């Protein structure tokens, strides 16, 4: 009798464990899908902003037809690829091409001061910058959810429940390597946006290297002091001529 009860307890424990693993896999799959929907919402917002941005730039930069056409084509390709986490890699590649096209458009816009001063252009660039930040945040959350799901699918014993639950590994949404140095929208002041470029690793200044001061901020010898005494601009003695310049 005792062995029968023990056997029943083991069977019940295995069933409970299987149910828990099954529900955990399904829950994690749903979490990945919800995270993807967040990305999808922000990408749709980005796609909706681009036509207005192109029309605004077209009014001031009519000679940049090729750049504008590249943005429109890249947007069309991106719209047709996103929509499912099962095609996350494909969507990321298409969005990467759109990012490159937008970077060229923003760079071209820098040559038109009247365009940069346009209020509608400034508003669109501000909205685009905020949207890009939300996309980056949603991408990080989505990739974290995908990592957790893929770990469960690959791990034992949940690996054996992935098939019955219909759960498979999901694709990461990663930026293309070619777009990581693309121009980034940066609203530096209230008048007009500017564009920043990521400097190559070989050209980045070491964190402990002191920046080179311009000539107007270089220290000068103090008046009547020792020859090896210097004062920075704004201190007493600033602007005194060098000894060899004195008459």
């Amino acid at each position: 009798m005792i062995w029968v009860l023990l056997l029943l307890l083991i069977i019940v424990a295995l069933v409970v464990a299987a149910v828990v693993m099954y529900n955990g896999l399904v829950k994690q799959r749903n979490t990945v899908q919800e995270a993807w929907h967040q990305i999808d919402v922000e990408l749709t917002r980005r796609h909706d902003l681009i036509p207005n941005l192109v029309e605004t730039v077209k009014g001031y930069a009519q000679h940049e037809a090729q750049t504008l056409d590249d943005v429109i084509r890249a947007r069309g390709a991106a719209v047709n690829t996103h929509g499912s986490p099962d095609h996350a890699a494909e969507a990321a590649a298409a969005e990467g091409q759109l990012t490159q096209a937008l970077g060229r458009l923003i760079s071209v816009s820098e040559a038109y001061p009247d365009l940069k001063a346009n209020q509608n252009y400034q508003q669109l660039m501000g909205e685009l910058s905020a949207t890009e930040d939300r996309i980056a945040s949603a991408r990080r959350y989505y990739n974290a959810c995908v990592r957790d799901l893929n770990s469960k699918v690959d791990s034992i014993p949940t690996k054996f429940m992935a098939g019955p639950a219909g759960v498979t590994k999901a694709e990461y949404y990663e930026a293309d390597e070619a777009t990581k140095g693309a121009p980034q929208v940066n609203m530096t002041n209230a008048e007009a946006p500017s564009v920043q470029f990521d400097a190559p690793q070989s050209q980045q200044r070491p964190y402990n290297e002191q920046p080179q001061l311009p000539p107007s901020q270089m220290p000068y010898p103090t008046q009547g002091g020792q020859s090896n005494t210097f004062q920075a601009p704004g201190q007493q003695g600033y602007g005194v001529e060098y000894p060899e310049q004195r008459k």
Side-chain angles (χ1 to χ4, degrees):
M1 186 67 180
I2 296 178
W3 291 105
V4 174
L5 291 176
L6 257 171
L7 183 60
L8 288 176
L9 286 176
I10 292 174
I11 293 175
V12 170
L14 291 175
V15 171
V16 170
V19 171
V20 170
M21 289 186 289
Y22 181 96
N23 291 338
L25 286 168
V26 173
K27 180 180 179 180
Q28 190 61 41
R29 181 190 60 189
N30 293 340
T31 301
V32 169
Q33 292 176 347
E34 291 174 2
W36 175 260
H37 290 326
Q38 294 181 17
I39 294 180
D40 191 55
V41 168
E42 297 304 332
L43 291 179
T44 301
R45 173 61 176 166
R46 184 196 200 197
H47 299 157
D48 292 342
L49 287 172
I50 290 174
N52 295 331
L53 179 63
V54 169
E55 290 299 322
T56 302
V57 174
K58 187 184 297 184
Y60 291 86
Q62 298 180 358
H63 300 292
E64 307 295 342
Q66 182 62 46
T67 302
L68 296 173
D69 289 342
D70 290 344
V71 173
I72 294 299
R73 284 196 297 269
R75 175 190 177 274
V79 169
N80 293 330
T81 54
H82 79 94
S84 170
D86 295 333
H87 303 90
E90 183 181 356
E95 291 296 333
Q97 294 300 318
L98 178 56
T99 298
Q100 286 185 319
L102 276 175
R104 292 191 293 269
L105 178 62
I106 295 171
S107 299
V108 165
S109 302
E110 290 294 300
Y112 298 89
D114 293 340
L115 172 61
K116 293 172 59 179
N118 182 273
Q119 184 176 2
N120 189 37
Y121 177 78
Q122 295 178 22
Q123 181 179 356
L124 288 171
M125 293 295 285
E127 293 178 4
L128 182 60
S129 177
T131 302
E132 295 291 348
D133 291 339
R134 290 194 295 269
I135 290 174
S137 177
R139 183 177 66 242
R140 287 192 295 268
Y141 175 68
Y142 170 80
N143 286 338
C145 294
V146 170
R147 183 189 65 240
D148 294 340
L149 175 64
N150 292 349
S151 296
K152 287 186 176 181
V153 172
D154 288 336
S155 302
I156 296 175
T158 52
K159 179 178 182 178
F160 302 114
M161 291 302 302
V167 177
T168 58
K169 296 176 66 174
E171 295 181 351
Y172 287 97
Y173 184 89
E174 296 178 333
D176 188 9
E177 290 291 335
T179 65
K180 291 185 177 180
Q184 299 175 349
V185 181
N186 182 27
M187 304 297 290
T188 56
N189 53 55
E191 296 180 356
S194 66
V195 179
Q196 289 185 343
F197 293 86
D198 295 335
Q201 187 70 24
S202 59
Q203 299 180 9
Q204 294 181 2
R205 188 192 306 275
Y207 73 95
N208 59 349
E209 179 179 337
Q210 297 297 325
Q212 181 67 34
L213 293 175
S216 61
Q217 298 182 11
M218 293 295 291
Y220 287 81
T222 58
Q223 185 176 11
Q226 298 178 358
S227 59
N228 60 349
T229 303
F230 296 86
Q231 291 181 335
Q235 297 179 345
Q236 185 179 3
Y238 171 71
V240 178
E241 298 177 346
Y242 283 99
E244 60 270 21
Q245 294 178 336
R246 298 174 182 170
K247 297 182 180 179

